[in-house]
Amino acid sequence: MNKMINKLSLASLGLVLLSSSVFAHGPTPQRVDEHITIDAEVATVWQKVNAFDQLDKWHPAVESITMQDETTRIVTLKSGGEITESLDESDADRHYIGYRLLKENIEAMPVSFYTIGIEVEPNDTGSKVSWSGRFYRADTGNFPPENLNDEAAVKAMTEYAKTGLEGLKASLEK
């Protein structure tokens, strides 16, 4: 009889754990896709975008860049805080650069991880620059506070992309 009760107890516990895991899920990936047209040749725009150590020269939100090595940079933001990023890809033929967050700082950017790709393509009036990001919110638990939830992450990453693209345009169309 005790063995049967133990089996029933284990089965009940298993159902409870299974049902709670159905409702418990982590964050879903978020995305940002922004574009801008710049009145400059692709080669000129690509030269700026591809200079991994020069983001502070055109992104208005960036105070400075410190390179740790050829592929790792520390981005100091004007709003305060630092984020560490790592270069994953630089494709001169595609005019594409891809990098990712290497070390999170949720006070500086309310995300736990991101990848960003910037691509430069020819356009009728010069170049089209596309900024695409994939990311997760800062608090990866099931009930994040407002400042660390999906909406906060999307807002921050969208603003960062738009500001960056506008700064790139302004730096090239002087």
Side-chain angles (χ1 to χ4, degrees):
M1 181 77 162
N2 275 346
K3 286 184 180 182
M4 190 154 107
I5 290 174
N6 283 341
K7 285 183 181 181
L8 284 173
S9 295
L10 285 174
S12 297
L13 179 61
L15 284 173
V16 168
L17 291 174
L18 179 64
S19 66
S20 66
S21 69
V22 168
F23 295 108
H25 63 82
T28 56
Q30 301 297 311
R31 64 186 300 156
V32 60
D33 291 299
E34 296 294 329
H35 313 277
I36 200 163
T37 301
I38 298 176
D39 188 18
E41 300 218 4
V42 169
T44 304
V45 177
W46 170 243
Q47 185 176 13
K48 274 210 186 248
V49 168
N50 190 46
F52 195 62
D53 62 341
Q54 301 292 310
L55 182 66
D56 58 332
K57 304 296 187 243
W58 55 267
H59 198 303
V62 176
E63 180 69 35
S64 64
I65 298 291
T66 304
M67 296 299 294
Q68 286 189 322
D69 56 46
E70 288 183 15
T71 62
T72 306
R73 70 183 176 193
I74 298 172
V75 180
T76 302
L77 300 172
K78 288 182 180 174
S79 62
E82 296 178 342
I83 48 180
T84 303
E85 299 174 328
S86 178
L87 180 64
D88 289 331
E89 181 180 3
S90 175
D91 186 332
D93 293 334
R94 280 182 47 210
H95 301 108
Y96 174 85
I97 186 171
Y99 57 94
R100 63 188 153 91
L101 181 65
L102 193 60
K103 182 179 173 189
E104 74 179 54
N105 179 348
I106 62 174
E107 286 81 33
M109 186 74 68
V111 298
S112 60
F113 179 77
Y114 62 70
T115 59
I116 293 176
I118 303 174
E119 187 169 16
V120 184
E121 302 172 287
N123 185 286
D124 294 339
T125 60
S127 301
K128 175 185 174 187
V129 182
S130 301
W131 181 307
S132 298
R134 306 295 173 263
F135 51 93
Y136 288 93
R137 67 181 180 234
D139 185 323
T140 58
N142 288 331
F143 305 103
E146 277 187 33
N147 64 324
L148 303 176
N149 66 14
D150 287 339
E151 291 78 18
V154 169
K155 180 181 178 191
M157 291 297 286
T158 300
E159 184 177 303
Y160 190 69
K162 283 183 176 181
T163 303
L165 290 172
E166 290 164 3
L168 180 64
K169 179 180 178 85
S171 75
L172 289 162
E173 292 184 356
K174 294 182 194 180

